Amino acid sequence: MRWRCKISGVVQGVGFRPTVYRYATRAELGGWIRNDSDGVTLEVEGPKEAVKAFVRRIEEEPPSLARIDTIEIESIRIVGERDFIIQPSKDSGDKKSPILPDIAVCETCLKEMRDPTDRRFGYPFINCTECGPRYTITKTIPYDRPNTSMAIFGMCDACRMEYEDAASRRYHAQPIACPECGPRLNMRLKNENFKEESANPKDSGINDSLIEKCATLLKEGAIVAVKGLGGFHLMCDATNDKTVERLRKRKRRPDKPFALMVKNLEMAKTLAHVSEKEEHLLMSKESPIVLLKAKATICTHWPSEKVTPGIDRFGVMLPYTPLHHLLFDYLDIPLVATSANLSEEPIVRDCSELVAKLGHVVDAVLDHDRPIENAIDDSVVQVIGDKWVQWLRVARGVAPLNLPVKKPIEKKIMAVGANQKNTIALAFGHNIVLSPHIGDLSGIEPMEYFKRTVATFERFYDFAPEALVHDLHPNYETTKWAKKVSFANRVLPVAVAVQHHYAHVLAVMAEHGVDRKVLAFAWDGTGYGTDDTIWGGEVLLADVEGFERVGHLRSFRLLGGEKAIREPRRVALAMLFEIFSIDEVLAMQNPTVRAFSVSEIRMLHQAWLKGINTPITTSMGRLFDAVASLGGICQRIGYEGESGLLLEAANIDKEVATEKGNCFKCHEDGLVDWEPLIRILAAGEKKSADRFIPALAALVEEIAAQYPDLAIVLTGGVFQNRTLCEMILSRLSNRDLLLPDKAPVNDGAIALGQAWCAIHRE
């Protein structure tokens, strides 16, 4: 018998064809296999039971990096083939095969790189079909070398033999390279006006190399930009107070935590508590930044307090490229490894751009000549209560995130996401593809990066959307773009405007492939509501048909609008105005009132009375700010979510309040009144801020009890608060919980929810 099999999913760039080739030859079957724009197509011929066993083995034992979504089998005419071959890729024009994320260097390649007898000894660009760059070098699909940025490097005879040998680990490994024919390093020093100093590509041993020179500079206190997979890191000695402080001043980043890259798992464990799940994430092929609880005991190589000022955790990642591993051969200290970019701008991927924008920040640049086709940041993840693996940023190693859809999608849909933590999503065929993290669209450069990402995914899939989906907010940059953009020389009608918090909920439903009604807590900082106010503390009954707002925080005003987001004291003062007279407020001695002069309070009270630049909100994120202000924890913040992190770091006493108690009052119409909480905080009761997070967990439990038959969704940036989530998971341990465990819990998933909405709407 002879079968034709069409296989979709993550089946390109993962060693799928050589694996199938080995299975077929061992079973003495004839036929062929090839990549195409939909995935993989193969024909196999032989005895009936042998053919069935062969296909079953493909399903049960695919390559470790592969994911099979569908296998379509068709019985066809026997042609008498005895040998099984791998055919050249075929471009059918209808591109559906997912692009694979970049993958951390594998142990086998590292072993070869450490072997003095191996021809790739010390080579910082070693890779195979199990590891190495994918998304960052891809121009279009099928994923073949001519369609990548590696096309400029002609293979030497030795690499060509491996590339064409189906029994080799490097069979059709598109980034294949060696010192003879592949990319090379170069270094530029600031005191030499960033003049290039190149390494001999045929002499890539680590001794007396540019890598050693880079390590020496780092140990001496220099700030070095090091080119990775998707852009540059700014690196420095994390234990050196003066160097870290200098990096903060040069980059104008006074408070936001820096990520750390450490030599190995052992070093990570000297700095932080590492659970089994956290260890698995650190060592995984995705190799993300993992947020870890810092240890109380300071070790020899303890990072400077300026790395994560005021908070009790570290963002830690392990080396994930061969270059990183070679660099740590000369280092026994943790390194700051933060994205090379200006504030609120995308990561820099080109050396000339880096020198132009960040030449004043760095002392040297360790560069290489493999072009980065698509820039990408590091992914960020945390583990909640050893139960919930929660992604905060989906990027390198994880994105593009491909989610299979059971029913075929009728139209090509593009969802353009939110303004903060922006991503885009494409829905077509049997897939939703969520792009890597793009960032906050607050200026010209971020919007250009957004447009470049749109063009990239349009090119990947020859994608001309038949429908666009955007946020309800009329002033989001993505909304304005969606209303004026044209594809294929025609302006598209905007198909759907989706409310922000409903999109949050739909994103979780999309992950789990559900369309049934759920009870959702959608808590974040900002989202445009259907009543033209700013939502953010919402309880929704939702399904794919729509939602009902069955609960929300009592509204309050933001004194100064955008200024209130950076100044928690303004949020807290507005809430005091809601409850007390101006004279009562002026007589108070709490930290919020002390943060203003009398004249400032009187002036802001007049603005509050008249509604001047004081938008109305129900934001749970801003309530966190108010609590942090009244509790004396912070009055101004330097980055989003800082107040929540500082509240957690304040060592909350979980025994102070375990019930909603007198902190919140729930009304029959679903209104959640925060006035009792603010009264307690305003009085300055000892440890009063400790009541807040436990009271929120009790509030969730109380509301959930009113809907005992519905699954519970937790979504929105507020649920990045680990303490809050741990308490809620403990209280709802017997309930059906739908949690975001692939896409981000924050606005990075909005595009996914928008796409899920459009899929289920005409």
Side-chain angles (χ1 to χ4, degrees), residues 572-617:
L573 186 63
M575 299 180 97
L576 293 178
F577 289 160
E578 289 276 350
I579 303 171
F580 303 102
S581 70
I582 181 64
D583 291 333
E584 288 174 317
V585 171
L586 287 170
M588 292 176 178
Q589 293 300 311
N590 61 56
T592 297
V593 173
R594 291 198 300 269
F596 294 97
S597 67
V598 171
S599 61
E600 285 175 322
I601 291 175
R602 291 191 181 279
M603 178 186 66
L604 290 169
H605 187 253
Q606 286 299 307
W608 178 82
L609 284 174
K610 297 175 182 179
I612 299 172
N613 194 23
T614 55
I616 296 170
T617 187

Side-chain angles (χ1 to χ4, degrees), residues 250-538:
R250 290 181 181 180
K251 202 175 182 228
R252 297 180 183 176
R253 182 171 165 168
D255 303 305
K256 192 173 182 180
F258 286 136
L260 296 174
M261 183 177 286
V262 299
K263 185 169 188 170
N264 48 36
L265 183 62
E266 289 67 36
M267 183 178 283
K269 288 182 175 181
T270 65
L271 304 180
H273 300 280
V274 182
S275 70
E276 187 176 334
K277 282 191 176 180
E278 289 165 340
E279 179 176 330
H280 173 75
L281 287 164
L282 285 168
M283 301 291 290
S284 69
K285 68 183 188 313
E286 293 84 5
S287 194
I289 297 170
V290 184
L291 300 188
L292 303 172
K293 178 80 171 178
K295 284 188 171 178
T297 305
I298 296 176
C299 66
T300 305
H301 299 304
W302 194 257
S304 163
E305 291 182 358
K306 295 176 175 63
V307 171
T308 55
I311 63 174
D312 60 348
R313 67 185 65 180
F314 295 125
V316 178
M317 60 182 153
L318 299 184
Y320 58 82
T321 70
L323 177 57
H324 293 146
H325 284 273
L326 292 169
L327 184 59
F328 273 102
D329 282 350
Y330 296 97
L331 297 169
D332 198 27
I333 52 173
L335 297 176
V336 166
T338 187
S339 297
N341 62 337
L342 293 173
S343 179
E344 309 302 332
E345 287 193 6
I347 189 170
V348 172
R349 59 178 176 158
D350 176 77
C351 188
S352 59
E353 182 187 4
L354 184 131
V355 170
K357 290 185 174 181
L358 297 167
H360 65 289
V361 175
V362 301
D363 302 304
V365 181
L366 185 60
D367 190 18
H368 61 73
D369 59 356
R370 183 177 67 202
I372 296 173
E373 192 67 28
N374 305 302
I376 196 168
D377 279 289
D378 295 307
S379 292
V380 183
V381 67
Q382 66 177 350
V383 179
I384 306 291
D386 206 35
K387 297 176 182 177
W388 180 6
V389 175
Q390 184 190 83
W391 293 92
L392 309 183
R393 184 165 71 201
V394 168
R396 177 193 48 77
V398 183
L401 180 62
N402 298 281
L403 298 174
V405 178
K406 291 181 180 179
K407 294 182 180 179
I409 299 167
E410 296 292 331
K411 293 182 178 180
K412 290 185 176 180
I413 298 163
M414 177 180 287
V416 295
N419 246 39
Q420 289 187 309
K421 297 178 175 61
N422 178 262
T423 59
I424 64 169
L426 308 184
F428 57 98
H430 284 272
N431 289 291
I432 304 176
V433 181
L434 185 68
S435 79
H437 169 83
I438 295 171
D440 298 348
L441 306 182
S442 55
I444 295 174
E445 286 285 343
M447 273 307 294
E448 288 303 312
Y449 184 35
F450 166 83
K451 294 174 186 176
R452 193 164 68 236
T453 304
V454 169
T456 295
F457 279 83
E458 183 186 13
R459 183 177 67 249
F460 280 169
Y461 299 107
D462 288 342
F463 195 88
E466 298 171 272
L468 285 175
V469 199
H470 62 83
D471 194 271
L472 190 63
H473 200 306
N475 293 323
Y476 270 8
E477 294 301 324
T478 47
T479 301
K480 292 185 283 188
W481 179 86
K483 288 182 176 180
K484 67 182 181 181
V485 72
S486 64
F487 288 87
N489 299 317
R490 63 188 179 91
V491 177
L492 283 171
V494 176
V496 183
V498 183
Q499 199 281 323
H500 186 91
H501 300 91
Y502 180 43
H504 265 303
V505 181
L506 288 169
V508 182
M509 297 173 70
E511 273 198 51
H512 295 274
V514 302
D515 54 14
R516 67 182 187 272
K517 185 163 288 188
V518 299
L519 175 69
F521 295 85
W523 291 355
D524 62 6
T526 300
Y528 194 77
T530 56
D531 59 359
D532 299 332
T533 65
I534 301 170
W535 290 6
E538 313 310 309

